[in-house]
Amino acid sequence: MKSKTNIRRIGVFTSGGDAPGMNAAVRSVVRTAIYHDLHIFGIKNGYQGMVDNDIQRLEAKNVANIIQRGGTILRTARCEDFRSKEGRKNAFQNLEAFDIDALVAIGGNGTYTGAQIFSKEYGIPIIGIPGTIDNDLFGTDRTIGFDTAINTAIEAVDKIRDTANAHSRLFLIEVMGRHAGYIALHAGIGSGAGKIFLPEKHTDIDEVIHNLQKDLRRQKLFNLIIVAEGEANGGAMAIAKRIKEANYPSELKVTIIGHLQRGGAPSCNDRVLASRLGYAAVQGLLEGRAGVAAGVISDEVIFTPFEEAINSNKPLNQDLLKMAEILAL
Ligand code: F6P
């Protein structure tokens, strides 16, 4: 492909919460850039490395043997300095010193927001890649890391199911998702949970308690409830307290899966998605695209302006929600 731009030197970084598959995305960006005879630089710790001048040239061999690894070789951070004009000025001066003329930003909503502000202030072309386990980014069906996280979650839930069944206990299992219920919904459906608490939907605990008691009367002796950490009742601990206070007669346990969901080898789906988006981001920059996030919708790569990606909500699939209720009968 012939470049429509003068871009010769690209910086790549991962920012915000890490997600399995970020390494596969970095590898793809690096190798696609090298294929196009570009110089490629890794910026450490997200925006923090830009501010602190923690930047180094990457060669194809630097990204060997990482496609299968969780975490991010570039490391990541949530950067306070970059929120200030002064911090962003430092960051730009450091990029200038390396002659970096475009960026690929891998992360979530906060990463896109930083990229949008920075590109408006300094006119540097940036393309975003959706990397977060939460799957809460508009402009892509799936974010990098989501598939791995839901598989990690259901593996844990399946194990809990064995012991819950053996002891006839009720388990409340909290999964990640401060603002979004994608992980909870998918882990709940995939593990056959009796109930799913989501940030997007109010759940009446009294009604849940009533149904749990009905379950006991019909000899359903164990039950699994999946709770998204950001749901409105305060999470699994708070819900457990309410259920206990209502004198629920059977034993009740809480498991918070937590950061286990963020680590581990990425699934094949995440590796392929990350590879595709890394490749698309570099191609996109060379085609003259900027200020956009790459995504895959219905198996097609698309680019969404940061503005739209940041401000639009990706709603949960209502059919899935309804189906989850019906299948839990
Ligand atoms: O952004 C993904 C996410 O995993 C959320 O689901 C979770 O609430 C948050 O990150 C936790 O972030 P931290 O690791 O900074 O506590």
Side-chain angles (χ1 to χ4, degrees), residues 168-182:
S168 301
R169 284 169 171 162
L170 166 64
F171 265 85
L172 289 156
I173 305 162
E174 187 175 292
V175 297
M176 275 186 162
R178 213 168 4 210
H179 306 294
Y182 282 96

Side-chain angles (χ1 to χ4, degrees), residues 78 132-134 176-178 229 259 262:
R78 304 189 198 271
T132 164
I133 63 166
D134 290 345
M176 275 186 162
R178 213 168 4 210
E229 65 173 319
H259 286 77
R262 285 247 291 263

Side-chain angles (χ1 to χ4, degrees), residues 134-199:
D134 290 345
N135 197 35
D136 58 348
L137 286 176
F138 183 85
T140 191
D141 287 338
R142 293 279 179 265
T143 56
I144 296 166
F146 173 65
D147 186 63
T148 308
I150 54 177
N151 280 297
T152 302
I154 61 160
E155 201 184 319
V157 179
D158 285 350
K159 286 177 178 165
I160 290 168
R161 173 184 280 275
D162 290 344
T163 176
N165 189 4
H167 284 268
S168 301
R169 284 169 171 162
L170 166 64
F171 265 85
L172 289 156
I173 305 162
E174 187 175 292
V175 297
M176 275 186 162
R178 213 168 4 210
H179 306 294
Y182 282 96
I183 297 178
L185 180 61
H186 285 252
I189 292 170
S191 62
K195 186 77 203 163
I196 308 171
F197 282 74
L198 302 160

Side-chain angles (χ1 to χ4, degrees), residues 75-117:
R75 304 169 64 85
T76 184
R78 304 189 198 271
C79 175
E80 275 308 309
D81 291 339
F82 201 74
R83 291 180 194 274
S84 72
K85 267 191 177 299
E86 190 56 27
R88 293 194 293 275
K89 190 173 160 206
N90 285 342
F92 185 69
Q93 283 167 350
N94 289 331
L95 295 181
E96 265 191 321
F98 278 89
D99 275 334
I100 292 175
D101 35 34
L103 293 170
V104 176
I106 306 168
N109 204 279
T111 307
Y112 287 2
T113 305
Q116 191 204 22
I117 295 169

Side-chain angles (χ1 to χ4, degrees), residues 129-315:
I129 294 182
T132 164
I133 63 166
D134 290 345
N135 197 35
D136 58 348
L137 286 176
F138 183 85
T140 191
D141 287 338
R142 293 279 179 265
T143 56
I144 296 166
F146 173 65
D147 186 63
T148 308
I150 54 177
N151 280 297
T152 302
I154 61 160
E155 201 184 319
V157 179
D158 285 350
K159 286 177 178 165
I160 290 168
R161 173 184 280 275
D162 290 344
T163 176
N165 189 4
H167 284 268
S168 301
R169 284 169 171 162
L170 166 64
F171 265 85
L172 289 156
I173 305 162
E174 187 175 292
V175 297
M176 275 186 162
R178 213 168 4 210
H179 306 294
Y182 282 96
I183 297 178
L185 180 61
H186 285 252
I189 292 170
S191 62
K195 186 77 203 163
I196 308 171
F197 282 74
L198 302 160
E200 292 86 347
K201 191 173 178 272
H202 172 73
T203 306
D204 180 350
I205 300 192
D206 292 330
E207 196 185 315
V208 172
I209 295 169
H210 176 77
N211 288 336
L212 286 170
Q213 276 157 346
K214 234 169 53 188
D215 283 347
L216 283 182
R217 285 197 293 277
R218 64 182 175 104
Q219 297 295 301
K220 188 176 180 193
L221 297 177
F222 83 96
N223 230 319
L224 301 177
I225 295 180
I226 303 290
V227 182
E229 65 173 319
E231 68 78 42
N233 297 290
M237 287 299 207
I239 298 170
K241 190 162 170 275
R242 288 276 304 275
I243 297 175
K244 276 182 191 155
E245 283 166 1
N247 296 323
Y248 179 72
S250 172
E251 250 191 297
L252 186 164
K253 299 275 180 190
V254 174
T255 300
I256 298 174
I257 306 180
H259 286 77
L260 263 182
Q261 292 156 99
R262 285 247 291 263
S267 66
C268 186
N269 280 335
D270 275 331
R271 296 181 202 191
V272 173
L273 177 66
S275 301
R276 229 176 143 183
L277 292 176
Y279 173 79
V282 175
Q283 304 267 104
L285 283 171
L286 294 178
E287 284 161 11
R289 294 180 198 275
V292 292
V296 172
I297 292 191
S298 305
D299 210 26
E300 293 261 339
V301 171
I302 57 126
F303 293 91
T304 305
F306 279 140
E307 184 89 36
E308 200 183 338
I310 294 163
N311 297 315
S312 312
N313 192 19
K314 186 164 86 176

Side-chain angles (χ1 to χ4, degrees), residues 29-41:
V29 170
V30 169
R31 296 213 167 157
T32 308
I34 290 171
Y35 169 79
H36 287 292
D37 288 329
L38 306 175
H39 288 193
I40 176 88
F41 296 85

